Amino acid sequence: MLPPQVANAPKHAAPLEPSIRLRGAACTASLRGEPMRRSWAAGAAIGVAMARRSGRKNRLLTAQTLKLQPLRSSYSNGPGEEKRKVLAVVGLGNVGSRYVGTRHNIGFAAVDAIASHLLEDPAAKWFFQDDIWHGAFGGNVLQLARKSKDQLADTAFTDLVLFKPASMMNSSGGPVLELVQGYQISEENLVVIYDDLDLDVGRLRLRKSGSAGGQNGVKSIQAQGLKNFLRMRLGISRPPKSEGRNAVVSHVLGQFQAEEMDQTQMALRMTTEAVKDLADGVTIDNVMNKFNKSLVVAE
């Protein structure tokens, strides 16, 4: 049986869930809500449902109680042991079937797309540790580690933590702070992905600092004292002014139009490439120069 977040997804538009086919595992997911079993998307949806049911108790879970290998943003366990460096990537969105595939949830879709690409690529450099998604820190965590650290640049990251808060968009700050504190991640090694009304669909824009720009999830994170994280903004376009102010809410919480899907999926692929570059040690400035000028044009 499909989890409610997937089974009840609207059928008139394609929900932004990744297409996944892992060799040796009965895991398939579809962009158009077709049946699937134990996919990363399903695992995420199940984890969110568990997080909501467990309430406050879930927020007290730590990397140790989850049997995850404890990580710090940069550390060595002892003499002769390798130094670890962690990059945390957070996607913002709302929990619940009514929000699946909406413009406002493109942050969730981006994190799913990153996980899908890194794990199903035949030349993948990463593997997941322990189970698929874990309910922890008031959200869902997927912890990835490199298969090999040979010839790894000094600036590259050895571990990647993907996170989707389960607190609803406007209260994202609490779970993100718990994640940062739990894994002892520095702000400079934190990436937050979210939607932006003032960018056209298909645009990706990176910023090292700045205001929330009216994005309530980012406002909530900043209210927790986190200021210097990298912002990855994905364009969802703004509705015409002639439609009135109320049109903004329905637009943000609505599905992408069919003609926007190719651009949106390409933007998600650009986001994945940007995260890969950061993980491989490319400087933030170089990643910004590479992707900030990119504009997706549907073929």
Side-chain angles (χ1 to χ4, degrees):
M1 177 179 293
L2 295 176
Q5 285 85 344
V6 176
N8 296 331
K11 298 298 188 293
H12 64 276
L16 288 174
E17 297 289 1
S19 177
I20 303 156
R21 289 175 178 82
L22 294 179
R23 296 185 304 279
C27 306
T28 59
S30 168
L31 280 170
R32 303 195 180 278
E34 296 171 1
M36 60 185 176
R37 292 180 293 162
R38 292 300 293 171
S39 70
W40 302 105
I46 293 170
V48 169
M50 291 174 63
R52 296 186 73 189
R53 286 198 299 269
S54 59
R56 180 62 191 174
K57 291 167 64 176
N58 183 68
R59 297 170 65 85
L60 299 178
L61 293 177
T62 66
Q64 287 72 29
T65 60
L66 289 170
K67 300 181 180 179
L68 294 177
Q69 186 172 359
L71 300 175
R72 297 189 181 95
S73 58
S74 181
Y75 79 108
S76 176
N77 283 330
E81 294 191 19
E82 64 183 348
K83 190 174 182 179
R84 308 284 294 280
K85 191 176 180 183
V86 183
L87 177 67
V89 179
V90 176
L92 301 186
N94 284 315
V95 176
S97 60
R98 64 175 293 192
Y99 302 109
V100 172
T102 62
R103 297 171 189 266
H104 214 26
N105 270 32
I106 198 170
F108 279 4
V111 169
D112 285 336
I114 294 165
S116 300
H117 179 82
L118 294 182
L119 292 168
E120 73 172 338
D121 184 353
K125 304 175 183 179
W126 304 86
F127 68 96
F128 67 90
Q129 297 185 341
D130 204 62
D131 207 346
I132 298 177
W133 289 92
H134 295 281
F137 310 114
N140 290 273
V141 179
L142 178 63
Q143 179 178 317
L144 306 178
R146 287 190 183 272
K147 293 180 179 178
S148 173
K149 300 175 181 66
D150 295 338
Q151 299 180 335
L152 196 64
D154 291 339
T155 55
F157 292 85
T158 61
D159 297 86
L160 181 63
V161 173
L162 304 179
F163 184 64
K164 296 191 287 188
S167 58
M168 305 303 282
M169 175 72 79
N170 294 355
S171 301
S172 299
V176 173
L177 181 63
E178 289 187 39
L179 178 82
V180 167
Q181 293 176 338
Y183 281 109
Q184 300 183 34
I185 298 167
S186 66
E187 288 187 53
E188 292 74 16
N189 294 341
L190 173 66
V191 179
V192 179
I193 307 173
Y194 56 95
D195 61 297
D196 192 320
L197 272 167
D198 294 319
L199 290 178
D200 292 336
V201 169
R203 292 299 299 263
L204 169 65
R205 187 71 57 82
L206 285 72
R207 292 179 63 185
K208 291 190 286 188
S209 62
S211 69
Q215 220 284 353
N216 289 328
V218 177
K219 286 182 181 178
S220 178
I221 294 172
Q222 292 179 330
Q224 298 293 331
L226 300 173
K227 308 291 185 182
N228 299 317
F229 54 89
L230 178 63
R231 295 122 167 97
M232 283 194 181
R233 299 146 54 207
L234 284 163
I236 62 171
S237 296
R238 185 178 289 274
K241 291 183 179 180
S242 59
E243 296 184 8
R245 295 181 61 182
N246 292 336
V248 172
V249 175
S250 58
H251 176 80
V252 167
L253 298 181
Q255 304 281 329
F256 286 91
Q257 299 300 311
E259 60 269 21
E260 297 174 317
M261 289 305 297
D262 287 344
Q263 291 174 300
T264 301
Q265 293 290 8
M266 185 62 73
L268 293 177
R269 285 192 285 273
M270 285 198 306
T271 304
T272 297
E273 291 301 318
V275 169
K276 286 172 59 181
D277 283 353
L278 290 170
D280 286 340
V282 180
T283 66
I284 291 177
D285 286 337
N286 285 341
V287 174
M288 290 173 62
N289 289 335
K290 178 179 179 180
F291 291 98
N292 278 355
K293 297 179 181 179
S294 298
L295 173 63
V296 176
V297 178
E299 298 179 357

